[in-house]
Amino acid sequence: MTLKSGFQFAEAQLLLEMAQRAYAGTPSLTEAVATCGLPSVPDPSSNWAVRKDLTPTSATLLDNYWQVWQNQSDTTQYAIAVRGTVASAASVLADLLFPLINARFDVKLGPISLPFYLARDEGDSAVKAGVHSGFALSLLLMLFTTDSPLFVTLGLLAEQGNDVYITGHSQGASIATLLTSLVRHSTDVFKGPAYKTYTFAPAKAGNDHYAYDYARLAAVDGYGWAVTSTQDWVPQAPFALEWISDLNTPNPLRGFGGSPNPEATIALGSVVTDGENAVNRVRDDAVRRLKQRVESLSRRLISETIHFDRRRSRRGNRRTDHGINDLGLDPTDPRPASGLAELC
């Protein structure tokens, strides 16, 4: 069955139940801890079941976890449900790694280079799409680590041409948003399935340029939906650290190439310079503190195994394994606030 565009209440309810069950399904957590002691969420329809062979048995190093579901009545339909933040240092760290990185870069696994494109190429634009570095790193770990790497699952689903729902709550919703961008931009790798996304209470996954691209990519056609409450603080986070240099050009203060407008500079005096210096100090301090927090994670990442082979299974079919220290990131924009390679 081909997925239909538009908001379907039954779909949203089903995927919300899956997104919430991902908390209780986390192997390292008891249901009481995962749900903060609140009453359990109803199970999804009995027509759907978790595919244990495609679902990891443990979380990533940033405590990311997801489940893969299959419709038993229509076995061509799958759902990927990404769990949100839990009360662990690694999970919270993924939220705190908020400096933006370029939404387009290459992932290098030994001799292999893979495009990690979460937004369109904006050429010489003075401002480009940027994404939350913690959510991007979480997605990378989900794609290439654990005993059921998501890259392998997506490859299998692409080969079979299935219908795939993508969902998540809170942090999981933000990662699900990036995952949607990845599969829709990486058509050569994941071409085949029809994708439809419902996210619930997502934090900001990127800047305005990223949001515009996501809307064009999925939301405008009715295949990307975010369900939020106007009273929820999570969709307002993380705080944006922006200044005049982050505005599109040309604007009253800068020309096409980003060069300052002399008349505006004189009129505003030191306000522009002082403001930009203050914002940069806050940014630099945030990056410095986050680098300190991630040092312990870095040592663990070096020994983590990267899995890259669609034919791989848990029982050990042919595969190509690399340590995560072989994972090189090549940002295409020289101006990101902080690159993943710098953070880890």
Side-chain angles (χ1 to χ4, degrees):
M1 179 187 299
T2 302
L3 301 179
K4 297 179 180 179
S5 66
F7 186 90
Q8 308 290 331
F9 180 81
E11 288 180 335
Q13 181 178 2
L14 172 69
L15 295 173
L16 175 60
E17 292 167 350
M18 290 180 181
Q20 291 302 295
R21 292 307 297 174
Y23 288 89
T26 304
S28 60
L29 301 176
T30 64
E31 182 164 347
V33 171
T35 60
C36 300
L38 297 174
S40 59
V41 173
D43 289 329
S45 166
S46 59
N47 291 338
W48 288 79
V50 174
R51 281 286 301 268
K52 293 184 178 180
D53 58 322
L54 300 178
T55 298
T57 59
S58 62
T60 71
L61 290 182
L62 283 177
D63 214 351
N64 312 114
Y65 179 75
W66 68 99
Q67 294 178 323
V68 179
W69 294 72
Q70 185 179 30
N71 187 343
Q72 304 303 295
S73 299
D74 181 356
T75 56
T76 65
Q77 284 194 340
Y78 287 80
I80 299 170
V82 187
R83 196 210 62 210
T85 307
V86 293
S88 71
S91 182
V92 174
L93 178 61
D95 292 326
L96 294 178
L97 294 172
F98 61 81
L100 294 178
I101 61 168
N102 188 358
R104 295 173 62 88
F105 56 84
D106 294 320
V107 177
K108 295 180 181 177
L109 300 175
I112 302 170
S113 181
L114 297 173
F116 192 80
Y117 297 159
L118 303 178
R120 68 189 186 282
D121 185 357
E122 297 184 89
D124 295 329
S125 173
V127 180
K128 297 183 179 181
V131 293
H132 185 291
S133 55
F135 300 154
L137 178 56
S138 294
L139 178 56
L140 281 169
L141 291 172
M142 290 169 57
L143 287 169
F144 300 116
T145 68
T146 77
D147 56 358
S148 289
L150 189 54
F151 183 90
V152 175
T153 298
L154 291 170
L156 292 173
L157 298 183
E159 287 179 353
Q160 299 167 8
N162 297 282
D163 292 337
V164 181
Y165 290 104
I166 299 174
T167 190
H169 169 256
S170 192
Q171 179 194 96
S174 304
I175 298 171
T177 301
L178 296 184
L179 174 59
T180 300
S181 295
L182 178 68
V183 296
R184 288 183 173 274
H185 276 290
S186 303
T187 53
D188 292 340
V189 181
F190 303 123
K191 185 178 182 179
Y195 298 100
K196 189 172 184 180
T197 301
Y198 287 86
T199 60
F200 303 92
K204 297 174 186 174
N207 63 4
D208 56 342
H209 277 236
Y210 171 75
Y212 299 148
D213 185 76
Y214 180 82
R216 176 192 63 85
L217 199 65
V220 170
D221 291 335
Y223 287 95
W225 295 91
V227 181
T228 62
S229 167
T230 57
Q231 301 304 305
D232 187 1
W233 65 270
V234 172
Q236 295 177 307
F239 299 123
L241 296 175
E242 297 178 309
W243 190 242
I244 294 169
S245 59
D246 297 301
L247 294 175
N248 293 322
T249 57
N251 60 58
L253 300 177
R254 294 180 182 270
F256 277 103
S259 57
N261 180 339
E263 294 181 0
T265 301
I266 294 172
L268 293 175
S270 64
V271 172
V272 174
T273 302
D274 292 346
E276 185 146 14
N277 289 339
V279 170
N280 286 337
R281 283 196 299 270
V282 175
R283 282 175 171 166
D284 293 343
D285 184 62
V287 171
R288 178 181 61 81
R289 290 176 182 273
L290 291 173
K291 283 182 178 179
Q292 293 173 349
R293 293 291 304 275
V294 85
E295 282 180 357
S296 59
L297 177 65
S298 251
R299 292 189 290 271
R300 295 174 60 193
L301 284 172
I302 289 174
S303 61
E304 184 72 1
T305 300
I306 295 293
H307 303 290
F308 175 59
D309 197 317
R310 291 186 185 181
R311 296 162 294 183
R312 178 187 174 276
S313 73
R314 289 181 186 166
R315 290 189 171 90
N317 291 339
R318 287 186 60 190
R319 69 184 187 182
T320 301
D321 291 349
H322 301 276
I324 202 163
N325 53 326
D326 293 327
L327 192 158
L329 302 177
D330 181 19
T332 58
D333 181 1
R335 298 180 52 215
S338 176
L340 284 176
E342 295 175 336
L343 288 171
C344 58

